[in-house]
Amino acid sequence: MAFRSGTLDLDSCSKEGQILRCDKSMAGSIHFFIETVKPKDTVQCYRVRWDELEEHRLVEHVMSCSGSHWYGGAETRLQHWPVVLKGHQAPKPFITGDIHSNHEAFGGILERYWLSSNATAIKINDSVPFHLGWDETNKTLWFQARYDDSPYRPHPDNPHHVTLSYRVCVGHDVTSIHKYMVRRYFNKPNEVPSEAVFRQPIWSTKYLEAVNQERILKYASDIQKNGFNCSHLELYDTHTNYGEFDLDPIKFHNSSAMFQKLREDGFQVTLWTHPFVNYNSVNFGVGVERGLFVRVPGSQLPALVRWWNGIAGILDFTNPEARDWYASNLRTLKNKYGVVSFKFDAGETSYLPQQFSTFIPLQDPSTFTRRYTEMAIPFNDRAELRSGYQSQNISCFFRIIDRDSLWGYTLGLKSIIPTVLTISILGYQFILPDIIGGSTYSNLTGLPDRELYIRWLELSAFMPAMQFSLPPWHYDDEVVNIAKKFTALHEFLVAPRVLELAGEVLYTGDPIIRPLWWIATDDEAAYKIDSQFLIGDDLLVAPVLEPGKQERDIYLPAGRWRSYKGEYFDKGPVYLTDYPVDLDEVAYFVWSG
């Protein structure tokens, strides 16, 4: 670690026991210390703190990443596992963002935590106005603290002084140090969400054309006619105006009858919700009158924001009255129609205005994300969130951001495993890998590429939960049969393992979906594999992620593995070159001792 914001004046330093203190740098007065802590025999930690006492100065430390592989940080648009440093990025605010609307942003799920293959973990303290940069040439990460030209706000009692503080812990191996950090520093869920969601797919109406009552009832009917199960039916975009808490009476002319019919047919139903109230909604006036919105600084006026469905005020979830109003409207919807939960969309700080004021001032803008995710707690059995910051204790499903209907790493099929592994390392274990086939259809049929859809379906079958929107019967009978095969495999092979691991998450925080290095900490090859994963320690999955392929290379760590075809491999770490995998197959292997 190099201290770029100033060289320590060693004459000002003193050592007392395990603490080294310094009072000056070559740039001015500081408070600096490094404390060595040994919380257990196999772990040694270093608490580092640099207080800059000169006004309008920043603190910047630079960490070398050469010689090891790094994981963690945030969901990103171009997701790699391990982290890949591209180009030169000056330090920018490390806050939640929508990577669809801002390609360079950090994503909606984010934590100040990194882990390396050399058994080192770093956790930046919550109070730091933290900015992250990097340099590909020198293979360095830049940790910077500043308030100038930043969305972070200083504490009113200490408005001019900047602090960078963090903890570095070193352990015996990467898995054991991660386990220590998660148990010591991460929130954990207090219950497991609905078992049905782990076992049976969610069906979302998001990508149905012109959603209305008749189309929803037909969609539900088609699910059953084609022989599929359903954990719940997720109704998307059903409102008259965005910000009103009722269904569009034109699209849904007899909504109570629709919900009654769905219940009679055995469907549990959830509804889509979000934190926006559009300016043309009747609730906009209510929000202005009652002060429910994020405001223009120094004013009672709402600070308007643009989102993907218009211009709106955004509810201020630091305000108890706004929280109560929003929760009350959701409860009314739930009771009126008998819905079981909600899909909570957005929540990223990128939907806050550039200048804003909240009921309780936000020193860290990402606290807004945390406050929004708390709104899901009363509905967490089947709730869905797509943003999270210090939200691991919210016992609902966290969905990775919408994928595009592409094969590659930029929000395509290949990005799913790196993204799921990343947010697992950040402590989010009940994961939805977005809808099967992705969200953008660009070919002449208006559908995702058929082979892409099939391979996406197969990968999803080995995730904690599955989610359809575009149904398989829009293709052909072969796709329907493959979908039936893999929803059954998910229910009877994958879900029991996932549910067992989900129960352990409450106490350990350990990932359900694990990287290969989890069980092979001395294996350099395992640190670089981003197209395979483990469910627990004993089920290894290697899906096909390339177009036109019915074979793939597979890496098996040391041990005895039995393939889904009944073959045994027990010679120690082994590459299986061009291992045959038909279009209706996923290669998977079970640890057998």
Side-chain angles (χ1 to χ4, degrees), residues 96-102 275-276 294 303-308 312-314 345-354 368 386:
T96 60
D98 182 344
I99 50 181
H100 267 289
S101 59
N102 180 356
F276 307 105
V294 172
L304 296 181
V305 298
R306 183 180 294 278
W307 66 299
W308 63 89
I314 186 166
D345 219 342
E348 300 90 349
T349 63
S350 51
Y351 290 107
L352 290 170
Q354 195 162 13
F368 179 85
R386 80 168 198 189

Side-chain angles (χ1 to χ4, degrees), residues 360-531:
I360 297 175
L362 294 178
Q363 292 173 256
D364 178 355
S366 292
T367 304
F368 179 85
T369 298
R370 165 68 198 182
R371 295 292 169 259
Y372 177 59
T373 61
E374 290 168 354
M375 302 309 298
I377 291 174
F379 313 101
N380 61 15
D381 194 45
R382 294 174 190 256
E384 173 188 325
L385 286 159
R386 80 168 198 189
S387 56
Y389 175 65
Q390 300 177 358
S391 306
Q392 300 98 327
N393 63 324
I394 296 174
S395 305
C396 70
F397 282 88
F398 285 82
R399 175 176 63 85
I400 65 177
I401 195 71
D402 306 45
R403 303 289 109 173
D404 294 333
S405 302
L406 303 168
W407 288 91
Y409 285 102
T410 305
L411 296 179
L413 178 62
K414 284 186 182 178
S415 72
I416 293 176
I417 296 173
T419 304
V420 169
L421 289 173
T422 296
I423 66 174
S424 293
I425 288 297
L426 299 179
Y428 297 87
Q429 311 308 345
F430 307 141
I431 299 171
L432 272 177
D434 197 37
I435 62 169
I436 290 164
S439 304
T440 57
Y441 316 146
S442 57
N443 65 17
L444 295 177
T445 66
L447 302 174
D449 174 76
R450 180 180 184 274
E451 183 188 7
L452 175 68
Y453 184 89
I454 291 170
R455 293 306 192 189
W456 207 303
L457 160 68
E458 292 167 349
L459 169 57
S460 293
F462 288 87
M463 289 289 152
M466 301 178 72
Q467 189 172 31
F468 286 98
S469 183
L470 182 76
W473 52 88
H474 279 200
Y475 289 93
D476 52 50
D477 288 345
E478 183 185 18
V479 176
V480 170
N481 290 332
I482 292 173
K484 287 181 179 178
K485 171 182 175 178
F486 279 95
T487 53
L489 183 142
H490 175 85
E491 182 172 359
F492 297 110
L493 172 69
V494 177
R497 293 170 183 265
V498 168
L499 282 163
E500 181 181 354
L501 294 163
E504 296 173 8
V505 167
L506 310 186
Y507 308 100
T508 67
D510 290 345
I512 294 172
I513 304 299
R514 300 174 181 176
L516 265 59
W517 52 250
W518 191 265
I519 60 168
T521 57
D522 294 327
D523 189 337
E524 173 64 19
Y527 285 108
K528 296 179 283 188
I529 290 174
D530 66 354
S531 63

Side-chain angles (χ1 to χ4, degrees), residues 39-40 42-45 113-122 167-186 510 517-518 521 527:
K40 54 190 297 188
T42 57
V43 176
Q44 182 152 307
C45 295
Y113 174 74
W114 287 268
L115 178 70
S116 89
S117 58
N118 66 5
T120 302
I122 295 181
R167 186 177 296 253
V168 180
C169 292
V170 182
H172 175 69
D173 60 65
V174 62
T175 302
S176 63
I177 193 61
H178 178 68
K179 287 183 174 184
Y180 168 78
M181 296 297 285
V182 168
R183 285 156 178 73
R184 177 69 178 81
Y185 296 110
F186 282 23
D510 290 345
W517 52 250
W518 191 265
T521 57
Y527 285 108

Side-chain angles (χ1 to χ4, degrees), residues 85-153:
L85 304 178
K86 291 278 191 182
H88 175 92
Q89 173 62 57
K92 60 183 181 180
F94 193 69
I95 55 179
T96 60
D98 182 344
I99 50 181
H100 267 289
S101 59
N102 180 356
H103 295 179
E104 303 306 315
F106 299 110
I109 297 175
L110 161 154
E111 299 293 334
R112 301 170 167 202
Y113 174 74
W114 287 268
L115 178 70
S116 89
S117 58
N118 66 5
T120 302
I122 295 181
K123 179 78 168 62
I124 309 294
N125 287 354
D126 297 344
S127 59
V128 174
F130 180 54
H131 299 68
L132 179 68
W134 57 84
D135 183 71
E136 179 182 7
T137 303
N138 295 314
K139 292 184 169 53
T140 52
L141 282 175
W142 298 353
F143 299 156
Q144 187 187 89
R146 73 170 194 264
Y147 291 116
D148 291 347
D149 187 29
S150 170
Y152 294 99
R153 296 291 174 262

